[in-house]
């Protein structure tokens, strides 16, 4: 048997402990599959004395993850600290400089610094892998880089934040408002330490930025994404969408559009009967479309100890097997800079607004839409209060520019009581 592959694991939170458990539980099976024993030689975390419910006695301890990354007896540095800067970045950079392969679950780090890290790794001849960073236990990076290598990817879509999917589906099934379900999530421990990462669409945006780079051979460009969170989604939107046969999802979409790359993580309506529409609870789904394969759908747990550690170990096994792919599927220097002026693909839109209940109000809104070239498909007025009436409009396919012009003109009419809500109805 060849010498063991020696891991140094930095970060002993949920995913770190899960990774240690798999290495301990499946030592023989992993050795057989990887062709080499997988061993942990050293670990690092913020607190040494905490009881993590896992045996760590046989491993060397380092207080400093950078020191861990540079140890002679570590072949693969496993970064499970998290955060786009600080110790995680310092330690990954140190590992790469020291000629170590790296496995990480850190989507923020790669979304913000992926290009520089990929160039550094390739210059050093080391490999940087991050299956666990996107959609937890779903092997989506492997699917894109290996399983679909023969395809031109035409579109990547996904629900990639389980917390948001839990909130939206729980609001719907229990008829609860956003604030109540958000509090439930706090109690269930579903939220990131900074909940804006979840409900603001940032965590899911990091994941989409990584998938877009791999799928379209472009440099990771998180800043180019359009990102909207779910905070403004009301139970009313969810119920009205359901009444029309749709579900609301925080949906990521990346596709070539015009001259550039369209990448957005926004709340969208999807047909209730579609796989995305049927996705309940804190689960993830990624939909990949290729010119040869057509559409494939991957569904599974996007977070949690077992699923995320499963993806970490898959990367470790690939390193042991000698599978060494470029970080984003093609050499870092060959990644293109996405061209600017990507236009949003035209789409039907769901619009909800409160109109002052006075003669001609609806006619003004219809005229504004018509003047901007936006055609109405369906319209409904319901549930009057004393002064205002809620109105729903579903448009035919319209360009985003035209819709934005109409939304801005609506606010000048004096007949809308608050800013209209506008959500895409995604063609899937
Ligand atoms: N907070 C994320 C989620 C998991 O809810 O899906 C980590 O990315």
């Amino acid at each position: 048997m060849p010498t063991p592959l020696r891991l140094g694991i930095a970060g002993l939170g949920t995913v770190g402990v899960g990774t240690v458990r798999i290495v301990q539980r499946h030592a023989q099976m992993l050795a057989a599959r990887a062709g080499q024993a997988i061993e942990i030689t050293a670990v690092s975390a913020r607190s040494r004395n905490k009881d993590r419910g896992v045996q760590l006695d046989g491993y060397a301890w380092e207080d400093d993850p950078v020191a861990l990354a540079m140890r002679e007896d570590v072949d693969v540095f496993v970064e499970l600290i998290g955060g786009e800067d600080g110790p995680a970045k310092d330690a990954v950079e140190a590992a790469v400089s020291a000629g170590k392969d790296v496995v990480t679950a850190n989507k923020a780090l790669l979304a913000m610094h992926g290009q520089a890290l990929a160039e550094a790794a390739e210059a050093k001849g080391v490999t940087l892998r991050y299956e666990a960073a996107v959609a937890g236990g779903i092997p989506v990076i492997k699917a894109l880089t290996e399983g679909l290598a023969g395809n031109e990817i035409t579109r990547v879509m996904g629900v990639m934040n389980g917390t948001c999917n839990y909130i939206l589906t729980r609001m719907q099934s229990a008829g609860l408002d956003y604030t109540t379900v958000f509090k439930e999530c706090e109690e269930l421990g579903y939220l990131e330490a900074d909940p804006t990462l979840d409900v603001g669409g940032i965590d899911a945006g990091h994941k989409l930025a990584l998938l877009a780079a791999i799928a379209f051979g472009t440099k990771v460009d998180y800043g180019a994404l359009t990102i909207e969170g779910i905070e403004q989604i009301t139970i009313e939107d969810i119920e009205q969408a359901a009444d029309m046969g749709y579900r609301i999802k925080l949906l990521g979409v990346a596709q070539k559009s015009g001259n550039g790359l369209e990448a957005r993580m926004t709340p969208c309506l999807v047909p209730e009967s579609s796989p995305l529409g049927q996705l309940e609870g804190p689960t993830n789904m990624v939909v990949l479309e290729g010119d040869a394969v057509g559409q494939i759908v991957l569904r599974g747990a996007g977070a949690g100890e077992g699923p995320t550690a499963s993806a970490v170990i898959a990367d470790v096994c690939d390193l042991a097997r000698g599978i060494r792919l470029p970080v984003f599927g093609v050499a870092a220097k060959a990644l293109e800079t996405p061209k600017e002026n990507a236009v949003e693909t035209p789409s039907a839109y769901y619009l909800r607004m409160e109109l002052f209940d006075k003669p001609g109000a609806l006619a003004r809104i219809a005229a504004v839409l018509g003047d901007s070239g936006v055609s109405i498909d369906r319209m409904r007025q319901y549930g009057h209060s004393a002064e205002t009436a809620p109105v729903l409009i579903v448009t035919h396919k319209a360009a985003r520019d035209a819709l934005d012009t109409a939304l801005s003109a609506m606010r000048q009419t004096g007949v809308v009581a608050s800013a209209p809500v506008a959500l895409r109805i995604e063609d899937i």
Side-chain angles (χ1 to χ4, degrees), residues 22-23 29 39 46 83 101 153 182 199 229 258 266 345 396:
I22 295 181
V23 171
M29 184 190 82
E39 287 182 5
R46 264 200 300 241
D101 292 323
I153 301 299
F182 182 90
V199 296
T266 57
T345 315
H396 284 293

Side-chain angles (χ1 to χ4, degrees), residues 309-355:
S310 159
V312 170
I313 294 291
D315 279 344
V316 169
C317 283
D318 271 2
L319 289 172
R321 291 165 171 147
I323 297 173
R324 313 189 74 80
L325 301 175
V327 178
F328 295 106
V330 298
K333 294 275 188 212
L335 292 166
E336 291 173 14
T337 302
K339 295 189 186 70
E340 287 184 10
N341 78 8
V343 287
E344 256 190 46
T345 315
S347 131
Y349 285 88
Y350 158 99
L351 308 178
R352 179 173 58 80
M353 61 200 78
E354 286 283 324
L355 296 190

Side-chain angles (χ1 to χ4, degrees), residues 76-101:
V76 178
F77 177 61
V78 181
E79 185 276 300
L80 303 172
I81 302 168
E84 70 182 66
D85 288 303
K89 179 165 177 272
D90 294 344
V92 168
E93 286 173 346
V96 168
S97 297
K100 319 277 187 193
D101 292 323

Side-chain angles (χ1 to χ4, degrees), residues 107 133 160-164 190-192 198 203 207 284 302-303:
K107 60 228 73 165
M160 292 182 277
N161 183 277
T163 305
C164 288
Y190 281 178
L191 291 163
E192 298 282 335
D198 287 314
D203 166 82
K207 296 166 186 168
N284 283 198

